Coordinates of all heavy atoms in Angstrom, one line a residue:
M21 N -14.5 -2.3 -21.1 CA -13.3 -2.3 -20.3 C -13.7 -1.6 -18.9 O -14.6 -0.8 -18.9 CB -12.2 -1.5 -20.9 CG -11.7 -2.0 -22.3 SD -11.1 -3.7 -22.2 CE -9.4 -3.4 -21.8
V22 N -13.0 -2.1 -17.9 CA -13.3 -1.6 -16.6 C -12.0 -1.0 -16.0 O -11.0 -1.6 -16.0 CB -13.7 -2.9 -15.7 CG1 -14.0 -2.4 -14.3 CG2 -14.8 -3.6 -16.3
K23 N -12.1 0.3 -15.6 CA -10.9 0.9 -15.0 C -10.7 0.6 -13.6 O -11.6 0.5 -12.8 CB -11.1 2.5 -15.1 CG -10.7 3.0 -16.4 CD -10.7 4.5 -16.4 CE -10.4 5.0 -17.8 NZ -10.9 6.3 -18.1
V24 N -9.4 0.3 -13.2 CA -9.1 0.0 -11.8 C -7.9 0.9 -11.5 O -6.9 1.0 -12.2 CB -8.7 -1.5 -11.6 CG1 -8.4 -1.8 -10.2 CG2 -9.8 -2.4 -12.2
T25 N -8.0 1.5 -10.3 CA -6.8 2.3 -9.8 C -6.2 1.6 -8.7 O -6.9 1.2 -7.7 CB -7.3 3.7 -9.4 OG1 -7.8 4.4 -10.6 CG2 -6.1 4.5 -8.8
Y26 N -4.9 1.4 -8.8 CA -4.1 0.7 -7.7 C -3.3 1.8 -7.0 O -2.5 2.5 -7.7 CB -3.2 -0.3 -8.4 CG -3.9 -1.4 -9.1 CD1 -4.3 -1.3 -10.4 CD2 -4.2 -2.6 -8.5 CE1 -4.9 -2.3 -11.1 CE2 -4.8 -3.7 -9.2 CZ -5.2 -3.5 -10.5 OH -5.9 -4.5 -11.1
I27 N -3.4 1.9 -5.7 CA -2.6 2.9 -5.0 C -1.6 2.2 -4.1 O -2.0 1.4 -3.2 CB -3.5 3.8 -4.2 CG1 -4.6 4.4 -5.1 CG2 -2.7 4.8 -3.4 CD1 -5.6 5.4 -4.4
A28 N -0.3 2.4 -4.4 CA 0.8 1.8 -3.6 C 0.8 2.5 -2.2 O 0.3 3.5 -2.0 CB 2.1 2.0 -4.4
A29 N 1.6 1.8 -1.3 CA 1.7 2.3 0.0 C 2.3 3.7 0.1 O 2.0 4.5 1.0 CB 2.5 1.3 0.9
D30 N 3.1 4.0 -0.9 CA 3.8 5.3 -0.9 C 2.9 6.4 -1.6 O 3.3 7.5 -1.8 CB 5.1 5.3 -1.6 CG 5.0 5.0 -3.1 OD1 3.9 4.9 -3.7 OD2 6.1 5.0 -3.8
G31 N 1.7 6.0 -2.0 CA 0.7 6.9 -2.6 C 0.7 7.0 -4.1 O -0.1 7.6 -4.7
T32 N 1.6 6.2 -4.7 CA 1.7 6.2 -6.2 C 0.4 5.6 -6.8 O 0.1 4.4 -6.4 CB 2.9 5.4 -6.7 OG1 4.0 5.9 -6.1 CG2 3.0 5.5 -8.2
E33 N -0.3 6.2 -7.7 CA -1.5 5.7 -8.2 C -1.3 5.2 -9.7 O -0.6 5.9 -10.5 CB -2.6 6.8 -8.3 CG -3.1 7.2 -7.0 CD -4.3 8.1 -7.0 OE1 -5.0 8.2 -8.1 OE2 -4.5 8.8 -6.0
T34 N -1.8 4.1 -10.0 CA -1.7 3.6 -11.4 C -3.1 3.2 -11.8 O -3.7 2.3 -11.1 CB -0.8 2.3 -11.4 OG1 0.5 2.6 -10.8 CG2 -0.5 1.9 -12.9
T35 N -3.6 3.7 -12.9 CA -4.9 3.3 -13.3 C -4.8 2.6 -14.6 O -4.1 3.0 -15.6 CB -5.8 4.6 -13.6 OG1 -5.9 5.3 -12.3 CG2 -7.2 4.2 -14.1
V36 N -5.4 1.4 -14.7 CA -5.3 0.6 -15.9 C -6.7 0.1 -16.3 O -7.7 0.3 -15.5 CB -4.4 -0.6 -15.7 CG1 -3.0 -0.2 -15.4 CG2 -4.9 -1.6 -14.6
E37 N -6.9 -0.4 -17.5 CA -8.2 -1.0 -17.9 C -8.1 -2.5 -17.9 O -7.1 -3.0 -18.4 CB -8.5 -0.4 -19.3 CG -8.8 1.1 -19.2 CD -9.5 1.5 -20.5 OE1 -9.4 0.9 -21.5 OE2 -10.2 2.6 -20.4
G38 N -9.1 -3.1 -17.4 CA -9.2 -4.6 -17.4 C -10.4 -5.0 -18.1 O -11.3 -4.2 -18.4
K39 N -10.5 -6.3 -18.3 CA -11.6 -6.9 -19.0 C -12.6 -7.5 -18.0 O -12.2 -8.1 -17.0 CB -11.2 -8.0 -19.9 CG -10.5 -7.6 -21.2 CD -10.3 -8.7 -22.1 CE -8.8 -9.0 -22.2 NZ -8.3 -10.2 -22.6
T40 N -13.9 -7.3 -18.3 CA -14.9 -8.0 -17.5 C -14.6 -9.5 -17.4 O -14.3 -10.1 -18.4 CB -16.3 -7.8 -18.2 OG1 -16.6 -6.4 -18.3 CG2 -17.4 -8.5 -17.4
G41 N -14.7 -10.0 -16.2 CA -14.4 -11.4 -15.9 C -13.0 -11.7 -15.5 O -12.7 -12.7 -14.9
D42 N -12.0 -10.7 -15.8 CA -10.7 -10.9 -15.3 C -10.6 -10.5 -13.8 O -11.5 -9.7 -13.4 CB -9.7 -10.0 -16.1 CG -9.2 -10.6 -17.4 OD1 -9.6 -11.8 -17.6 OD2 -8.5 -9.9 -18.1
S43 N -9.6 -11.0 -13.1 CA -9.5 -10.6 -11.7 C -8.7 -9.3 -11.5 O -8.0 -8.9 -12.4 CB -8.9 -11.7 -10.9 OG -7.5 -11.8 -11.3
V44 N -8.9 -8.7 -10.4 CA -8.1 -7.5 -10.0 C -6.6 -7.8 -10.0 O -5.8 -7.1 -10.4 CB -8.6 -6.9 -8.7 CG1 -7.7 -5.8 -8.2 CG2 -10.1 -6.4 -8.8
M45 N -6.3 -9.1 -9.5 CA -4.9 -9.5 -9.5 C -4.4 -9.6 -11.0 O -3.3 -9.1 -11.3 CB -4.8 -10.9 -8.8 CG -3.4 -11.5 -8.8 SD -2.9 -12.4 -10.3 CE -3.8 -13.9 -10.2
H46 N -5.1 -10.4 -11.8 CA -4.7 -10.6 -13.2 C -4.5 -9.3 -13.9 O -3.5 -9.1 -14.7 CB -5.7 -11.5 -13.9 CG -5.3 -11.8 -15.3 ND1 -5.7 -11.1 -16.4 CD2 -4.4 -12.8 -15.8 CE1 -5.2 -11.6 -17.5 NE2 -4.4 -12.6 -17.2
T47 N -5.4 -8.3 -13.7 CA -5.3 -7.0 -14.4 C -4.1 -6.3 -13.9 O -3.4 -5.7 -14.8 CB -6.6 -6.2 -14.0 OG1 -7.7 -7.0 -14.4 CG2 -6.6 -4.9 -14.7
A48 N -3.7 -6.4 -12.6 CA -2.5 -5.7 -12.2 C -1.3 -6.4 -12.8 O -0.4 -5.7 -13.3 CB -2.4 -5.8 -10.6
V49 N -1.2 -7.7 -12.7 CA 0.0 -8.4 -13.2 C 0.2 -8.2 -14.7 O 1.3 -7.9 -15.2 CB -0.1 -9.9 -12.8 CG1 1.0 -10.7 -13.5 CG2 0.0 -10.1 -11.3
S50 N -0.9 -8.3 -15.4 CA -0.7 -8.1 -16.9 C -0.4 -6.7 -17.3 O 0.0 -6.4 -18.4 CB -2.0 -8.7 -17.6 OG -3.1 -8.0 -17.2
N51 N -0.6 -5.7 -16.4 CA -0.2 -4.3 -16.7 C 1.0 -3.9 -15.9 O 1.3 -2.7 -15.8 CB -1.4 -3.4 -16.4 CG -2.5 -3.5 -17.4 OD1 -2.4 -3.0 -18.5 ND2 -3.6 -4.3 -17.1
D52 N 1.8 -4.9 -15.4 CA 3.0 -4.6 -14.6 C 2.8 -3.6 -13.5 O 3.7 -2.7 -13.3 CB 4.1 -4.0 -15.6 CG 4.5 -5.1 -16.6 OD1 4.6 -6.2 -16.2 OD2 4.8 -4.7 -17.8
V53 N 1.7 -3.7 -12.8 CA 1.5 -2.8 -11.6 C 2.3 -3.4 -10.4 O 2.1 -4.6 -10.1 CB 0.0 -2.8 -11.2 CG1 -0.2 -1.9 -10.0 CG2 -0.8 -2.2 -12.4
D54 N 3.2 -2.7 -9.8 CA 4.0 -3.1 -8.7 C 3.1 -3.3 -7.5 O 2.1 -2.5 -7.3 CB 5.1 -2.1 -8.3 CG 6.2 -2.2 -9.3 OD1 6.4 -3.2 -9.9 OD2 7.0 -1.2 -9.4
G55 N 3.4 -4.3 -6.7 CA 2.7 -4.4 -5.4 C 1.6 -5.5 -5.4 O 1.1 -5.9 -4.3
I56 N 1.3 -6.1 -6.5 CA 0.4 -7.2 -6.6 C 1.2 -8.3 -7.3 O 1.6 -8.1 -8.5 CB -0.9 -7.0 -7.4 CG1 -1.7 -5.8 -6.8 CG2 -1.7 -8.2 -7.6 CD1 -2.6 -6.2 -5.7
V57 N 1.5 -9.4 -6.6 CA 2.4 -10.4 -7.2 C 1.6 -11.5 -7.8 O 1.9 -11.9 -9.0 CB 3.4 -10.9 -6.1 CG1 4.3 -11.9 -6.7 CG2 4.2 -9.8 -5.5
G58 N 0.7 -12.1 -7.1 CA -0.1 -13.2 -7.7 C 0.7 -14.4 -8.0 O 0.5 -15.1 -9.0
E59 N 1.5 -14.8 -7.1 CA 2.4 -16.0 -7.2 C 1.7 -17.3 -7.6 O 2.2 -18.1 -8.4 CB 3.2 -16.2 -5.9 CG 4.6 -16.7 -6.1 CD 5.3 -16.5 -4.7 OE1 5.1 -17.4 -3.8 OE2 6.0 -15.5 -4.6
C60 N 0.5 -17.5 -7.1 CA -0.1 -18.8 -7.3 C -1.0 -18.8 -8.5 O -1.7 -19.8 -8.8 CB -0.8 -19.3 -6.1 SG -2.4 -18.5 -5.8
G61 N -1.1 -17.6 -9.2 CA -1.9 -17.5 -10.4 C -3.4 -17.5 -10.1 O -4.3 -17.7 -11.0
G62 N -3.8 -17.2 -8.8 CA -5.2 -17.0 -8.5 C -5.9 -18.2 -7.9 O -7.1 -18.3 -7.8
A63 N -5.0 -19.2 -7.4 CA -5.6 -20.4 -6.8 C -5.8 -20.3 -5.3 O -6.1 -21.3 -4.6 CB -4.6 -21.6 -7.1
M64 N -5.7 -19.1 -4.7 CA -5.9 -18.9 -3.3 C -4.9 -19.6 -2.4 O -5.2 -20.2 -1.4 CB -7.3 -19.2 -2.8 CG -8.3 -18.0 -2.9 SD -9.7 -18.2 -1.9 CE -10.7 -19.3 -2.8
M65 N -3.7 -19.7 -2.9 CA -2.6 -20.4 -2.2 C -1.5 -19.6 -1.8 O -0.5 -20.1 -1.3 CB -2.1 -21.5 -3.2 CG -3.1 -22.5 -3.6 SD -3.7 -23.6 -2.3 CE -2.3 -24.6 -2.1
C66 N -1.5 -18.3 -2.0 CA -0.3 -17.5 -1.7 C -0.5 -16.2 -0.9 O 0.4 -15.8 -0.2 CB 0.5 -17.2 -3.0 SG -0.3 -15.9 -4.0
A67 N -1.6 -15.5 -1.1 CA -1.9 -14.2 -0.5 C -0.9 -13.1 -1.0 O -0.9 -12.0 -0.3 CB -1.9 -14.3 1.0
T68 N -0.2 -13.3 -2.0 CA 0.7 -12.2 -2.5 C -0.1 -11.3 -3.4 O 0.5 -10.4 -4.1 CB 1.9 -12.8 -3.3 OG1 1.4 -13.5 -4.5 CG2 2.8 -13.7 -2.5
C69 N -1.4 -11.5 -3.4 CA -2.3 -10.5 -4.2 C -3.1 -9.7 -3.2 O -4.1 -9.1 -3.6 CB -3.2 -11.3 -5.1 SG -4.3 -12.4 -4.2
H70 N -2.7 -9.7 -1.9 CA -3.5 -9.0 -0.9 C -3.6 -7.6 -1.3 O -2.7 -6.9 -1.7 CB -2.7 -9.2 0.4 CG -3.3 -8.5 1.6 ND1 -2.6 -8.1 2.7 CD2 -4.6 -8.1 1.9 CE1 -3.3 -7.5 3.6 NE2 -4.6 -7.5 3.1
C71 N -4.9 -7.1 -1.1 CA -5.1 -5.6 -1.3 C -6.2 -5.2 -0.3 O -6.8 -6.0 0.3 CB -5.6 -5.3 -2.8 SG -7.3 -5.9 -3.1
Y72 N -6.3 -3.9 -0.2 CA -7.3 -3.3 0.6 C -8.3 -2.6 -0.3 O -7.9 -1.7 -1.1 CB -6.7 -2.2 1.6 CG -5.7 -2.8 2.5 CD1 -4.4 -2.4 2.4 CD2 -6.0 -3.7 3.5 CE1 -3.4 -2.9 3.3 CE2 -5.0 -4.2 4.3 CZ -3.7 -3.8 4.2 OH -2.7 -4.3 5.0
V73 N -9.5 -3.0 -0.3 CA -10.5 -2.3 -1.2 C -10.8 -1.0 -0.6 O -11.1 -0.9 0.6 CB -11.8 -3.2 -1.3 CG1 -12.9 -2.5 -2.1 CG2 -11.5 -4.6 -1.9
D74 N -10.8 0.1 -1.4 CA -11.1 1.4 -1.0 C -12.5 1.4 -0.3 O -13.4 0.7 -0.8 CB -11.1 2.4 -2.1 CG -11.1 3.8 -1.7 OD1 -12.3 4.3 -1.5 OD2 -10.1 4.4 -1.5
E75 N -12.6 2.1 0.8 CA -13.9 2.1 1.6 C -15.1 2.4 0.7 O -16.2 1.9 0.9 CB -13.9 3.1 2.7 CG -12.7 3.0 3.6 CD -12.8 1.8 4.6 OE1 -13.9 1.3 4.7 OE2 -11.7 1.4 5.1
A76 N -14.9 3.2 -0.3 CA -16.1 3.6 -1.2 C -16.5 2.4 -2.1 O -17.6 2.5 -2.6 CB -15.7 4.8 -2.1
W77 N -15.7 1.3 -2.1 CA -16.1 0.2 -3.0 C -16.4 -1.1 -2.4 O -16.7 -2.1 -3.0 CB -14.9 0.0 -4.0 CG -14.8 1.2 -5.0 CD1 -14.1 2.3 -4.9 CD2 -15.5 1.2 -6.2 NE1 -14.3 3.1 -5.9 CE2 -15.2 2.5 -6.8 CE3 -16.4 0.4 -6.9 CZ2 -15.7 2.9 -8.0 CZ3 -16.9 0.8 -8.2 CH2 -16.5 2.0 -8.7
T78 N -16.3 -1.1 -1.0 CA -16.4 -2.4 -0.3 C -17.8 -3.0 -0.6 O -18.0 -4.3 -0.6 CB -16.1 -2.3 1.2 OG1 -16.9 -1.2 1.7 CG2 -14.7 -2.1 1.4
D79 N -18.9 -2.2 -0.7 CA -20.2 -2.8 -0.9 C -20.3 -3.5 -2.2 O -20.8 -4.5 -2.4 CB -21.3 -1.7 -0.9 CG -21.6 -1.2 0.5 OD1 -21.1 -1.9 1.5 OD2 -22.3 -0.2 0.6
K80 N -19.6 -2.9 -3.3 CA -19.7 -3.5 -4.6 C -18.8 -4.7 -4.8 O -19.1 -5.6 -5.6 CB -19.3 -2.4 -5.7 CG -20.5 -1.4 -5.8 CD -20.3 -0.6 -7.1 CE -21.6 0.2 -7.3 NZ -21.4 1.3 -8.2
T81 N -17.7 -4.7 -4.1 CA -16.8 -5.9 -4.2 C -17.3 -7.1 -3.4 O -16.9 -8.2 -3.7 CB -15.3 -5.6 -3.9 OG1 -15.3 -5.0 -2.6 CG2 -14.7 -4.7 -4.9
G82 N -18.1 -6.8 -2.4 CA -18.7 -7.9 -1.6 C -17.8 -8.4 -0.5 O -16.7 -7.9 -0.3
E83 N -18.3 -9.4 0.2 CA -17.6 -10.0 1.3 C -16.6 -11.0 0.8 O -16.7 -11.6 -0.2 CB -18.6 -10.8 2.1 CG -19.8 -10.1 2.6 CD -19.4 -9.3 3.9 OE1 -18.8 -9.9 4.8 OE2 -19.7 -8.1 3.9
R84 N -15.5 -11.3 1.6 CA -14.6 -12.3 1.3 C -15.1 -13.7 1.7 O -15.9 -13.8 2.7 CB -13.2 -12.1 1.8 CG -13.1 -11.7 3.3 CD -11.7 -11.3 3.7 NE -11.6 -11.3 5.1 CZ -11.2 -10.2 5.8 NH1 -10.9 -9.1 5.1 NH2 -11.0 -10.2 7.1
Q85 N -14.7 -14.7 1.0 CA -15.2 -16.1 1.3 C -14.4 -16.6 2.4 O -13.3 -16.1 2.7 CB -15.0 -17.0 0.0 CG -15.4 -16.4 -1.3 CD -14.6 -17.1 -2.4 OE1 -14.4 -18.3 -2.4 NE2 -14.3 -16.3 -3.4
S86 N -14.9 -17.7 3.0 CA -14.1 -18.2 4.2 C -12.8 -18.8 3.8 O -11.8 -18.6 4.6 CB -15.0 -19.3 4.9 OG -15.2 -20.4 4.0
E87 N -12.6 -19.4 2.6 CA -11.2 -19.8 2.2 C -10.3 -18.6 2.1 O -9.1 -18.7 2.4 CB -11.2 -20.6 0.9 CG -12.1 -21.8 0.8 CD -13.5 -21.6 0.3 OE1 -14.1 -20.5 0.6 OE2 -13.9 -22.4 -0.5
E88 N -10.8 -17.6 1.6 CA -10.0 -16.3 1.4 C -9.6 -15.8 2.8 O -8.5 -15.4 3.0 CB -11.0 -15.3 0.7 CG -10.3 -14.2 0.0 CD -11.2 -13.3 -0.7 OE1 -12.4 -13.7 -1.0 OE2 -10.9 -12.1 -0.9
D89 N -10.6 -15.8 3.7 CA -10.3 -15.4 5.1 C -9.2 -16.2 5.7 O -8.2 -15.6 6.3 CB -11.6 -15.7 5.9 CG -12.1 -14.5 6.6 OD1 -11.4 -13.4 6.5 OD2 -13.1 -14.6 7.2
D90 N -9.2 -17.5 5.5 CA -8.2 -18.4 6.1 C -6.8 -18.1 5.5 O -5.8 -18.0 6.2 CB -8.5 -19.9 5.8 CG -9.8 -20.3 6.5 OD1 -10.2 -19.6 7.4 OD2 -10.3 -21.4 6.1
M91 N -6.8 -17.9 4.2 CA -5.5 -17.6 3.5 C -4.9 -16.3 4.0 O -3.7 -16.1 4.3 CB -5.7 -17.6 2.0 CG -4.4 -17.4 1.2 SD -3.0 -18.4 1.7 CE -3.6 -20.0 1.3
L92 N -5.8 -15.3 4.1 CA -5.3 -13.9 4.5 C -4.8 -14.0 6.0 O -3.8 -13.5 6.3 CB -6.5 -12.9 4.4 CG -6.7 -12.4 3.0 CD1 -8.1 -11.7 3.0 CD2 -5.6 -11.4 2.6
E93 N -5.6 -14.7 6.8 CA -5.2 -14.7 8.2 C -3.9 -15.5 8.4 O -3.1 -15.2 9.2 CB -6.3 -15.4 9.1 CG -7.6 -14.6 9.2 CD -7.5 -13.3 9.9 OE1 -6.5 -13.1 10.6 OE2 -8.4 -12.4 9.7
G94 N -3.7 -16.5 7.5 CA -2.5 -17.3 7.7 C -1.3 -16.8 7.0 O -0.1 -17.1 7.4
A95 N -1.4 -16.0 5.9 CA -0.3 -15.7 5.1 C 0.0 -14.2 4.9 O 1.1 -13.8 4.5 CB -0.4 -16.4 3.8
A96 N -1.0 -13.4 5.1 CA -0.8 -11.9 4.9 C -0.6 -11.2 6.2 O -1.0 -11.6 7.2 CB -2.1 -11.4 4.2
S97 N 0.2 -10.1 6.0 CA 0.4 -9.3 7.2 C -0.6 -8.1 7.2 O -1.1 -7.7 6.1 CB 1.8 -8.8 7.3 OG 2.1 -8.1 6.2
E98 N -0.9 -7.5 8.3 CA -1.8 -6.4 8.5 C -3.1 -6.6 7.8 O -3.5 -5.8 6.9 CB -1.1 -5.1 7.9 CG -0.3 -4.4 9.0 CD -0.2 -2.9 8.7 OE1 -1.2 -2.2 9.0 OE2 0.8 -2.5 8.3
V99 N -3.8 -7.6 8.2 CA -5.2 -7.9 7.6 C -6.1 -6.9 8.2 O -6.1 -6.7 9.5 CB -5.6 -9.3 7.8 CG1 -7.0 -9.6 7.4 CG2 -4.6 -10.3 7.2
K100 N -6.9 -6.3 7.4 CA -7.9 -5.3 7.9 C -9.3 -5.7 7.4 O -9.4 -6.7 6.6 CB -7.6 -3.9 7.3 CG -6.3 -3.4 7.7 CD -6.0 -2.0 7.0 CE -4.6 -1.5 7.3 NZ -4.3 -0.3 6.5
A101 N -10.3 -5.0 7.9 CA -11.7 -5.4 7.5 C -11.9 -5.4 6.0 O -12.7 -6.1 5.4 CB -12.7 -4.4 8.2
N102 N -11.2 -4.5 5.3 CA -11.4 -4.3 3.8 C -10.3 -5.1 3.1 O -10.1 -4.9 1.9 CB -11.4 -2.9 3.4 CG -10.1 -2.1 3.8 OD1 -9.3 -2.6 4.7 ND2 -9.9 -1.0 3.2
S103 N -9.6 -6.0 3.7 CA -8.6 -6.9 3.0 C -9.3 -7.9 2.1 O -10.3 -8.5 2.5 CB -7.8 -7.7 4.0 OG -6.8 -6.9 4.7
R104 N -8.7 -8.0 0.9 CA -9.2 -9.1 0.0 C -8.0 -9.7 -0.7 O -6.9 -9.1 -0.8 CB -10.1 -8.5 -1.1 CG -11.5 -7.9 -0.6 CD -12.4 -9.0 -0.1 NE -12.6 -10.1 -1.1 CZ -13.6 -10.2 -2.0 NH1 -14.4 -9.2 -2.1 NH2 -13.7 -11.2 -2.8
L105 N -8.2 -10.9 -1.2 CA -7.3 -11.5 -2.2 C -7.7 -10.9 -3.5 O -8.9 -11.2 -3.9 CB -7.3 -13.0 -2.1 CG -6.9 -13.7 -0.9 CD1 -7.1 -15.2 -1.0 CD2 -5.4 -13.4 -0.6
S106 N -6.9 -10.2 -4.2 CA -7.4 -9.5 -5.4 C -7.7 -10.5 -6.5 O -8.4 -10.2 -7.5 CB -6.4 -8.4 -5.9 OG -5.1 -9.0 -6.1
C107 N -7.1 -11.7 -6.4 CA -7.5 -12.7 -7.4 C -8.9 -13.2 -7.3 O -9.4 -13.9 -8.2 CB -6.5 -13.9 -7.3 SG -6.6 -14.9 -5.8
Q108 N -9.5 -12.9 -6.2 CA -10.9 -13.3 -6.0 C -11.9 -12.2 -6.3 O -13.1 -12.4 -6.1 CB -11.1 -13.8 -4.5 CG -10.2 -15.0 -4.2 CD -10.4 -16.2 -5.2 OE1 -11.5 -16.6 -5.4 NE2 -9.3 -16.6 -5.8
I109 N -11.5 -11.1 -6.7 CA -12.4 -10.0 -7.1 C -12.4 -10.0 -8.7 O -11.4 -9.7 -9.3 CB -11.9 -8.6 -6.6 CG1 -11.7 -8.7 -5.1 CG2 -13.0 -7.6 -7.0 CD1 -11.1 -7.4 -4.5
K110 N -13.5 -10.4 -9.2 CA -13.7 -10.4 -10.7 C -14.3 -9.1 -11.2 O -15.2 -8.6 -10.6 CB -14.6 -11.6 -11.1 CG -14.1 -12.9 -10.7 CD -12.9 -13.4 -11.4 CE -12.5 -14.8 -11.0 NZ -11.1 -15.0 -10.8
L111 N -13.7 -8.6 -12.2 CA -14.2 -7.3 -12.8 C -15.6 -7.5 -13.4 O -15.8 -8.4 -14.2 CB -13.2 -6.7 -13.8 CG -11.9 -6.4 -13.2 CD1 -11.0 -5.8 -14.3 CD2 -12.0 -5.4 -12.0
T112 N -16.5 -6.5 -13.1 CA -17.8 -6.4 -13.7 C -18.0 -5.0 -14.1 O -17.3 -4.1 -13.6 CB -18.9 -6.8 -12.7 OG1 -18.9 -5.9 -11.6 CG2 -18.7 -8.2 -12.1
P113 N -18.9 -4.7 -15.0 CA -19.1 -3.3 -15.4 C -19.4 -2.4 -14.1 O -19.1 -1.2 -14.1 CB -20.4 -3.3 -16.3 CG -20.3 -4.7 -16.9 CD -19.7 -5.6 -15.8
D114 N -20.0 -3.0 -13.1 CA -20.3 -2.2 -11.9 C -19.1 -1.8 -11.1 O -19.2 -0.9 -10.3 CB -21.0 -3.2 -10.9 CG -22.5 -3.0 -11.0 OD1 -23.0 -2.3 -11.9 OD2 -23.2 -3.6 -10.1
L115 N -18.0 -2.4 -11.4 CA -16.7 -2.1 -10.7 C -15.9 -1.1 -11.5 O -14.7 -0.9 -11.1 CB -15.9 -3.4 -10.4 CG -16.5 -4.3 -9.4 CD1 -15.6 -5.5 -9.1 CD2 -16.8 -3.6 -8.0
D116 N -16.4 -0.5 -12.5 CA -15.7 0.5 -13.3 C -15.3 1.7 -12.4 O -16.2 2.3 -11.8 CB -16.5 0.9 -14.5 CG -15.7 1.8 -15.5 OD1 -14.5 1.6 -15.5 OD2 -16.3 2.7 -16.1
G117 N -14.0 1.9 -12.3 CA -13.5 3.0 -11.4 C -13.1 2.5 -10.0 O -12.7 3.3 -9.2
L118 N -13.1 1.2 -9.9 CA -12.6 0.6 -8.6 C -11.3 1.1 -8.2 O -10.4 1.3 -9.0 CB -12.6 -1.0 -8.8 CG -12.0 -1.8 -7.6 CD1 -13.0 -1.7 -6.4 CD2 -11.8 -3.3 -8.0
V119 N -11.1 1.3 -6.9 CA -9.9 1.7 -6.3 C -9.4 0.7 -5.2 O -10.2 0.3 -4.3 CB -10.0 3.1 -5.6 CG1 -8.7 3.5 -5.0 CG2 -10.4 4.1 -6.6
V120 N -8.2 0.2 -5.3 CA -7.7 -0.7 -4.3 C -6.3 -0.2 -3.9 O -5.6 0.5 -4.6 CB -7.5 -2.2 -4.8 CG1 -8.9 -2.8 -5.2 CG2 -6.5 -2.3 -6.0
H121 N -6.0 -0.5 -2.6 CA -4.7 0.0 -2.0 C -3.9 -1.2 -1.8 O -4.4 -2.3 -1.4 CB -5.0 0.7 -0.7 CG -5.9 1.9 -0.8 ND1 -5.4 3.2 -0.9 CD2 -7.3 1.9 -0.9 CE1 -6.5 4.0 -1.0 NE2 -7.6 3.3 -1.1
M122 N -2.6 -1.1 -2.0 CA -1.7 -2.2 -1.8 C -1.0 -2.1 -0.4 O -0.7 -1.0 0.0 CB -0.6 -2.3 -2.8 CG -1.0 -3.1 -4.1 SD -1.8 -2.1 -5.3 CE -0.4 -1.3 -6.0
P123 N -0.7 -3.3 0.2 CA 0.0 -3.2 1.5 C 1.4 -2.8 1.3 O 2.0 -3.0 0.2 CB -0.1 -4.7 2.0 CG -0.8 -5.5 1.0 CD -1.1 -4.6 -0.2
E124 N 2.1 -2.4 2.3 CA 3.4 -1.8 2.3 C 4.5 -2.9 1.9 O 5.4 -2.7 1.3 CB 3.8 -1.2 3.6 CG 4.9 -0.2 3.5 CD 4.9 0.7 4.8 OE1 4.0 0.6 5.6 OE2 5.9 1.4 4.9
D125 N 4.2 -4.2 2.5 CA 5.3 -5.2 2.4 C 5.1 -6.2 1.3 O 5.6 -7.3 1.3 CB 5.3 -5.9 3.7 CG 4.0 -6.6 4.0 OD1 3.0 -6.4 3.2 OD2 3.9 -7.4 5.0
Q126 N 4.4 -5.8 0.2 CA 4.2 -6.8 -0.8 C 5.0 -6.6 -2.1 O 4.4 -6.3 -3.1 CB 2.7 -6.8 -1.1 CG 2.2 -8.1 -1.8 CD 0.7 -8.3 -1.6 OE1 0.4 -9.2 -0.8 NE2 -0.1 -7.5 -2.2
F127 N 6.3 -6.6 -2.0 CA 7.0 -6.3 -3.2 C 8.0 -7.4 -3.6 O 8.1 -8.3 -2.9 CB 7.8 -5.0 -3.1 CG 6.9 -3.8 -3.0 CD1 6.5 -3.3 -1.7 CD2 6.4 -3.2 -4.1 CE1 5.7 -2.2 -1.6 CE2 5.6 -2.1 -4.0 CZ 5.2 -1.6 -2.8
Ligands
FES222 S1 -2.8 -15.0 -6.5 FE1 -2.4 -16.4 -4.9 S2 -3.9 -16.1 -3.5 FE2 -4.4 -14.6 -5.0

């Protein structure tokens, strides 16, 4: 199992355990974490899974793909350098302890 901590815009932290291979979005949705919606089910069609990867983890989660970039630029607000679609971050043992922050307007 891989632990992921989700930090809401108001500072509320929720730590859950996900399975290797599952996405950060799926892990949030299946554990009822507020702030990650995942409306399209991970098909890169909605950007309601927008998150900010904590600065300490950006090297491990890697770069966003160009399709991800396009969707974020077109549909998400307040895109930052560490913005990702959480449906595109798959859990690996290396990501155990991952911390992501949720945008303010994603409820
Ligand atoms: S769940 Fe729709 S883009 Fe990630």
